[in-house]
């Protein structure tokens, strides 16, 4: 299929592996592609203030929001006018205002990928309003699509970006993994102050009887009084760069993939990162994993349908190494063939007709 667009612009944070997946996707669809991360143009102090602003009274929040979003959208519009794309792909909302979406649509098709749902995750108070301007909304959760359809947004598509094999891949050369911890079970991710955090800690506590290491933010400590066995398995860390995380996953045998409560039928994309690095994910059950993601595949990742049995699942695959490695190979191969830049670009081009 020939490339339909002249210039495609991706609005997405660069630190996510999705950035590469989307750049590759747009490269199949357009003659020229550019990525733009607005965070490179905002002061770090402004970003930190913004993450805490929800704690303050509405009057203060509203004033700050007008200031920050006004400044950010001025920068975004300048980028749009300079590059003149005819296709714009946005990860979540990227601080967009609805009026900026109107300007984009004057000369370009506007597509959003929902990494989070505007119904469950407070990202941008205008996220849902921005989606109303989309030519197409891509979602890895079928229930999010149903909710959007219910409020009149019909231009939705269940969509899976696939594995970013430039970021997550097996390492086999001597010395590539020196200085990295070798763990049977590994989890890397932040925790929360609310019941979402308790839920995460409850799942991770099922693995403390194994050679297990947990990396994340200080919020994990809030839950140690409920799950004291987690404390000795915990290492506080900030953001771990992708090349380091790929090495960590390479040396792990199992990676638990929890289901964020904001994900109703879908799945966390950590599933792809683990398989990309050659590690078996233990995936908290979600309907879409069985019925959509791996539809047609002869194999299925181990699904955690009961937290109390998560340890038994881990124990089985740690005792059956050949089965574990063969399952990783089959699942990775299926995802790479089914959800790659070429097949995904054909799906999008056909849908955007």
């Amino acid at each position: 299929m020939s490339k339909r667009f002249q210039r495609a612009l991706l609005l997405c944070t660069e630190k996510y592996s999705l950035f590469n997946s989307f750049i590759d996707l747009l490269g199949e669809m357009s003659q020229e592609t550019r990525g733009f991360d607005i965070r490179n143009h905002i002061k770090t102090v402004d970003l930190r203030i913004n993450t805490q602003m929800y704690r303050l009274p509405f009057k203060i929040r509203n004033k700050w929001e007008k200031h920050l979003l006004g400044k950010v959208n001025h920068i975004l519009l300048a980028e749009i006018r300079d590059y003149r794309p005819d296709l714009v792909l946005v990860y979540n909302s990227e601080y967009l205002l609805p009026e900026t979406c109107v300007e984009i649509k004057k000369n370009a098709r506007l597509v959003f990928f929902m990494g989070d749902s505007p119904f469950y995750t407070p990202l941008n108070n205008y996220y849902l309003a921005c989606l109303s301007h989309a030519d197409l909304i891509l979602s890895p959760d079928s229930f999010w699509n149903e909710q959007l359809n219910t409020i009149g947004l019909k231009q939705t598509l269940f969509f899976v970006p696939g594995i970013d094999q430039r970021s997550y891949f097996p390492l086999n050369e001597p010395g590539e993994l020196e200085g990295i911890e070798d763990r049977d079970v590994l989890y890397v991710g932040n925790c929360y102050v609310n019941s979402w955090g308790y839920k995460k800690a409850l799942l991770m506590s099922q693995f403390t009887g194994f050679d297990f290491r947990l990396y994340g933010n200080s919020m994990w400590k809030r839950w140690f009084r409920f799950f004291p066995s987690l404390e000795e398995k915990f290492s506080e860390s900030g953001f771990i760069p992708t090349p380091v995380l790929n090495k960590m996953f390479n040396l792990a045998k199992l990676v638990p993939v929890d289901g964020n409560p904001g994900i109703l039928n879908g799945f966390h994309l950590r599933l792809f990162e683990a398989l990309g690095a050659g590690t078996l994910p233990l995936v908290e059950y979600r309907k879409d994993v069985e019925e959509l993601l791996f539809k047609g595949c002869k194999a299925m990742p181990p699904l955690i349908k009961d937290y109390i049995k998560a340890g038994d699942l881990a124990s089985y695959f740690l005792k059956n190494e050949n089965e574990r490695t063969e399952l990783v190979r089959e699942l990775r191969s299926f995802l790479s063939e089914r959800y790659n830049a070429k097949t995904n670009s054909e799906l999008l081009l056909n849908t955007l007709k």
Side-chain angles (χ1 to χ4, degrees):
M1 182 176 292
S2 61
K3 297 184 178 182
R4 175 176 164 187
F5 298 95
Q6 293 297 315
R7 284 181 293 275
L9 179 65
L10 171 65
L11 302 181
C12 177
T13 176
E14 292 176 337
K15 72 178 183 179
Y16 294 160
S17 63
L18 277 173
F19 185 90
N20 288 335
S21 297
F22 287 140
I23 285 291
D24 292 343
L25 169 66
L26 294 177
E28 292 285 338
M29 300 172 65
S30 61
Q31 300 294 329
E32 182 183 327
T33 301
R34 178 189 290 184
F36 186 80
D37 185 352
I38 188 62
R39 291 153 198 79
N40 295 331
H41 304 268
I42 308 174
K43 293 179 180 178
T44 302
V45 65
D46 284 347
L47 292 172
R48 288 176 178 171
I49 291 172
N50 196 55
T51 60
Q52 300 300 319
M53 191 54 58
Y54 72 94
R55 302 175 185 272
L56 300 178
F58 174 75
K59 185 176 181 179
I60 298 175
R61 294 201 317 267
N62 190 46
K63 186 175 181 180
W64 167 259
E65 185 178 80
K66 288 181 178 179
H67 161 73
L68 180 65
L69 293 183
K71 181 166 61 175
V72 165
N73 279 258
H74 177 77
I75 296 170
L76 290 170
L77 280 172
E79 174 67 13
I80 296 290
R81 289 164 181 159
D82 173 68
Y83 190 53
R84 295 178 290 111
D86 50 350
L87 173 63
V88 177
L89 174 59
V90 185
Y91 174 75
N92 277 328
S93 64
E94 287 297 278
Y95 302 97
L96 283 170
L97 289 170
E99 49 265 40
T100 302
C101 295
V102 172
E103 288 298 313
I104 292 172
K105 293 257 317 220
K106 289 179 178 178
N107 298 295
R109 305 298 292 276
L110 180 58
V111 179
F112 286 85
F113 176 84
M114 295 174 62
D116 297 285
S117 168
F119 298 105
Y120 304 106
T121 309
L123 295 168
N124 173 351
N125 290 330
Y126 300 98
Y127 187 7
L128 194 55
C130 287
L131 291 178
S132 69
H133 295 282
D135 290 293
L136 184 62
I137 302 168
L138 309 175
S139 165
D141 189 310
S142 63
F143 192 78
W144 292 353
N145 285 346
E146 291 176 17
Q147 290 179 306
L148 291 175
N149 295 164
T150 299
I151 65 171
L153 300 182
K154 308 292 186 181
Q155 64 281 18
T156 59
L157 178 69
F158 179 79
F159 185 82
V160 178
I163 298 173
D164 170 22
Q165 298 190 27
R166 282 190 282 163
S167 297
Y168 294 96
F169 51 89
L171 294 167
N172 302 307
E173 296 298 322
E176 288 182 313
L177 298 172
E178 287 184 3
I180 303 295
E181 277 191 324
D182 187 344
R183 297 290 178 176
D184 285 346
V185 186
L186 173 69
Y187 184 84
V188 178
N190 288 336
C191 202
Y192 305 99
V193 69
N194 55 18
S195 59
W196 287 20
Y198 177 89
K199 176 182 175 296
K200 267 198 167 194
L202 174 62
L203 177 57
M204 296 311 143
S205 70
Q206 309 304 313
F207 304 109
T208 56
F210 301 96
D211 177 25
F212 171 57
R213 179 58 61 184
L214 167 65
Y215 291 89
N217 62 353
S218 62
M219 203 55 63
W220 283 102
K221 299 175 183 178
R222 174 180 173 83
W223 307 109
F224 289 165
R225 67 188 181 99
F226 297 99
F227 308 103
S229 61
L230 274 179
E231 186 168 6
E232 66 180 53
K233 303 290 185 176
F234 174 70
S235 293
E236 187 171 346
S237 69
F239 175 74
I240 297 176
T242 296
V244 177
L245 191 57
N246 181 50
K247 292 179 180 180
M248 294 168 70
F249 283 166
N250 263 263
L251 280 177
K253 293 182 178 179
L254 302 172
V255 170
V257 179
D258 59 306
N260 185 305
I263 300 174
L264 283 299
N265 289 345
F267 45 89
H268 198 290
L269 295 177
R270 176 71 22 112
L271 184 160
F272 297 133
E273 297 170 351
L275 284 172
T279 304
L280 184 64
L282 303 180
V283 184
E284 182 174 342
Y285 175 77
R286 288 294 187 273
K287 179 181 176 182
D288 288 346
V289 176
E290 277 189 320
E291 298 185 7
L292 293 176
L293 179 61
F294 287 100
K295 184 178 180 180
C297 184
K298 296 179 181 179
M300 188 68 59
L303 299 176
I304 301 172
K305 296 184 176 181
D306 180 346
Y307 277 19
I308 304 304
K309 297 178 181 179
D312 295 335
L313 204 59
S315 180
Y316 176 83
F317 283 101
L318 289 175
K319 292 176 181 176
N320 294 275
E321 177 67 7
N322 290 338
E323 183 176 348
R324 183 188 71 83
T325 55
E326 177 57 24
L327 184 54
V328 169
R329 186 200 64 76
E330 191 163 348
L331 294 173
R332 189 174 189 272
S333 176
F334 177 84
L335 290 180
S336 298
E337 292 176 9
R338 175 68 63 86
Y339 309 106
N340 57 59
K342 188 175 187 302
T343 57
N344 277 340
S345 67
E346 291 173 353
L347 175 63
L348 261 61
L349 287 171
N350 287 329
T351 307
L352 283 169
K353 284 182 177 178

